[in-house]
Amino acid sequence: MALKTFRAIAPLLILAGCAGAGAGPASERGFFTGIAAAVSGEDVRGAQRLESSAALQERAAQMAAERNASARAEAARTGAAVRNAEARLAAQQQSLAEQRATFERLRAERAQNPAATAEAQRLQSELEAQERDIRAAAERSGGPSADQVQRIERRAGELDAALQRFGRI
């Protein structure tokens, strides 16, 4: 009689186990549910999903680390470029002070020469414009740009040449 009862209940137990196959971790499932999950392949598919998810998260973390390293390297390059521009700008400030001193000396020497008066006024304007540009570059948020410093350096060369011409008047 017990065997007959078991044979009648066994299919119901197996069906109940199949219905819950793979529902939750293996440690939380019953015997028949575990067997059904193993037979159906749900445990293997679940493990594959977890492994795939872990691999994706690992790759995302690796990519984030690479972006972080790249950002740090770019910040170092940018910092070096700003320090270089600041040093060049400081040199131009010094050059402007020397040009202004040369100009003042030459202007005093040529005070009696009417032909030098117009050129002295033009040079005075150029020196003031150079000073404004240097000040603007120094006050720029993030430091002076390489383009600004390059323009200032080019103008400094032009001012040097103009001062030499003024000295020959």
Side-chain angles (χ1 to χ4, degrees):
M1 171 96 167
L3 189 55
K4 260 184 168 179
T5 306
F6 178 73
R7 284 187 186 164
I9 297 176
L12 294 174
L13 291 173
I14 291 174
L15 285 176
C18 287
S27 63
E28 295 176 5
R29 294 188 300 233
F31 175 75
F32 290 110
T33 306
I35 289 176
V39 169
S40 71
E42 184 61 31
D43 279 350
V44 172
R45 285 189 297 277
Q48 288 172 340
R49 278 191 304 272
L50 288 174
E51 287 174 4
S52 176
S53 175
L56 286 173
Q57 290 176 358
E58 210 172 284
R59 179 66 184 139
Q62 182 181 15
M63 289 172 62
E66 290 170 1
R67 284 191 308 270
N68 186 22
S70 177
R72 287 178 188 256
E74 180 62 23
R77 281 190 299 276
T78 301
V82 168
R83 286 188 298 280
N84 181 346
E86 287 172 341
R88 289 170 52 200
L89 187 62
Q92 289 307 306
Q93 288 171 325
Q94 179 62 38
S95 174
L96 178 63
E98 292 168 3
Q99 288 172 333
R100 191 169 290 287
T102 299
F103 170 71
E104 294 300 333
R105 180 182 51 81
L106 291 172
R107 183 167 61 176
E109 290 173 3
R110 282 146 188 78
Q112 303 305 320
N113 184 344
T117 305
E119 181 62 13
Q121 288 175 345
R122 190 188 73 74
L123 282 172
Q124 178 71 36
S125 295
E126 287 295 318
L127 288 166
E128 289 169 358
Q130 181 77 332
E131 186 174 7
R132 280 191 305 274
D133 288 350
I134 289 173
R135 195 175 321 114
E139 293 171 354
R140 179 177 177 264
S141 176
S145 73
D147 290 340
Q148 280 178 311
V149 175
Q150 189 174 20
R151 282 191 305 273
I152 290 168
E153 289 169 337
R154 186 177 57 249
R155 182 184 268 168
E158 293 167 0
L159 278 169
D160 282 338
L163 285 169
Q164 287 177 358
R165 285 190 303 272
F166 186 60
R168 290 190 294 265
I169 294 179

